[in-house]
Amino acid sequence: MSKELVIRMSQPGDAGVLQAASIDLPPPGAGEVRVRHTAIGVNFADIYHRIGLYRLPELPAVLGVEAAGVVEAIGGEPGGQDCGDVRVGDRVAYAGLPAGAYATARNIALNRLVKIPAGVSDIQAAGTLLRGITAHMLFQHVARVRAGDTVLVQAAAGGLGQVLGQWGAALGARMIGTVGSAGKGGVARSKGYQEAILYRQMDFVAEAMRLTDGRGVDFAVDGVGGETLSKTLQTVRPFGMAASVGQAAFSGNEDSAVLPLSELGPYRSIALARPSVFRFMSDLSRYREGAEAALARLANGLVMDVSLALPLAEAAEAHRQLESGKTAGGVILLPT
């Protein structure tokens, strides 16, 4: 047993439900490893878990769906699982369910680990792996973005927005992002966006149509939801596609998430996807495919700005800052 600090919740609620606790962590079992965390990514998925929008299997629960660290111990024989060549002392990262990354260390299935390439920091791996897998899912499995396509991304200066901008630009797409301020516009342009629309100062639908000469974009990615998603659909060309990947604007009213089918067609004739990166990663082969693609992009220079790095014990404040919309880039928790 080892004594570890965790941040857990006993009931859904605001950031105040996140409380520090000390637990006894048993040795890893067969097919498991103990990872000593060095950096933990904070995502909107953590907030959705905290408020009860995404249900956790049981409470109390430790939050967190991605982290990086060092392999500290390996359990017994993995029972024939495909566990790769991970060794004690390796720098590794992981993403996905089950939640539990808000901890100084945890036991996790060995086959969920990916090695961090030389030259990629633990902080970048911890903050970018989930977003990178999301980008791979969106651009290869949802819309298959190619050179010459035009892509609109909401919240382009955020963590996912920064990854999507660089990824799409590397594919040869024309990237258009929406941002809340001129400063965030500069961030977006530095991350692959040719255009950054200040949505608080102009109608982003009208501007997107102007930038595409009235044609509309081929693919739009929205992580805001609500009215923003409805407007995002208006930027998509006929027979184009939009993807809803989050609900940052969720108000607690489930009815606000209902979208009439008439908003898609027949006049507009567009497609709407609601892909879940967690569902995507539940298939181990796809998880590894996405993780390898994300780590390759990181090794080749993709960088997500870290807006805020706080001690693990300040996880509640990290949630408040992310929810405020003031961050531009990733939010990281540091166990030490």
Side-chain angles (χ1 to χ4, degrees):
M1 294 282 188
S2 62
K3 286 286 187 182
E4 306 296 343
L5 172 69
V6 300
I7 304 298
R8 63 188 182 188
M9 54 177 277
S10 297
Q11 62 184 26
D14 62 20
V17 302
L18 299 180
Q19 299 293 320
S22 177
I23 66 164
D24 291 319
L25 183 66
E32 290 186 331
V33 298
R34 182 169 67 237
V35 177
R36 177 67 51 189
H37 290 150
T38 53
I40 301 159
V42 179
N43 295 276
F44 264 99
D46 305 341
I47 294 172
Y48 300 153
H49 280 141
R50 194 200 74 219
I51 64 177
L53 181 60
Y54 293 175
R55 295 187 184 278
L56 292 161
E58 59 182 6
L59 295 174
V62 178
L63 298 186
V65 292
E66 70 175 340
V70 176
V71 175
E72 193 169 69
I74 299 178
E77 290 296 322
Q81 297 180 60
D82 178 13
C83 298
D85 58 351
V86 172
R87 300 289 182 267
V88 171
D90 284 347
R91 295 169 60 236
V92 295
Y94 64 84
L97 300 173
Y102 287 12
T104 47
R106 75 179 293 193
N107 295 331
I108 190 167
L110 185 53
N111 59 15
R112 303 302 294 185
L113 300 183
V114 290
K115 289 187 177 181
I116 301 173
V120 175
S121 72
D122 289 11
I123 285 177
Q124 282 294 313
T128 310
L129 183 59
L130 183 66
R131 295 174 172 98
I133 296 172
T134 303
H136 173 77
M137 174 189 73
L138 289 170
F139 289 163
Q140 295 301 320
H141 290 266
V142 176
R144 291 196 173 273
V145 170
R146 297 292 182 263
D149 287 349
T150 300
V151 179
L152 174 78
V153 176
Q154 297 286 1
L160 177 59
Q162 290 188 20
V163 173
L164 290 174
Q166 294 169 83
W167 202 298
L171 293 173
R174 180 190 184 193
M175 301 301 295
I176 300 173
T178 70
V179 294
S181 67
K184 288 187 175 182
V187 171
R189 289 189 178 89
S190 74
K191 302 301 181 186
Y193 292 91
Q194 289 93 331
E195 308 286 348
I197 301 172
L198 298 173
Y199 67 83
R200 289 194 176 101
Q201 299 179 21
M202 62 182 73
D203 181 339
F204 76 79
V205 176
E207 184 65 5
M209 297 304 289
R210 185 189 72 80
L211 291 169
T212 57
D213 296 323
R215 176 178 179 270
V217 302
D218 299 292
F219 185 38
V221 180
D222 177 85
V224 180
E227 183 181 357
T228 298
L229 174 59
S230 182
K231 289 183 176 180
T232 297
L233 300 178
Q234 299 174 37
T235 71
V236 180
R237 65 166 174 81
F239 299 99
M241 176 176 281
S244 170
V245 295
Q247 296 138 267
F250 179 71
S251 64
N253 179 4
E254 291 286 356
D255 290 338
S256 67
V258 175
L259 187 73
L261 190 60
S262 59
E263 293 207 27
L264 305 180
Y267 175 74
R268 286 182 185 161
S269 295
I270 63 176
L272 173 63
R274 185 69 169 96
S276 164
V277 70
F278 295 109
R279 182 65 183 87
F280 182 82
M281 292 188 296
S282 67
D283 181 304
L284 185 59
S285 63
R286 283 187 169 178
Y287 169 67
R288 291 208 162 275
E289 170 195 316
E292 288 169 7
L295 292 172
R297 294 282 179 186
L298 281 168
N300 286 319
L302 185 148
V303 175
M304 180 193 68
D305 295 342
V306 175
S307 175
L308 184 66
L310 292 173
L312 175 60
E314 297 182 30
E317 179 60 21
H319 275 223
R320 293 185 187 101
Q321 291 295 318
L322 185 59
E323 287 179 290
S324 74
K326 297 176 182 177
T327 58
V331 177
I332 298 291
L333 296 174
L334 301 173
T336 57

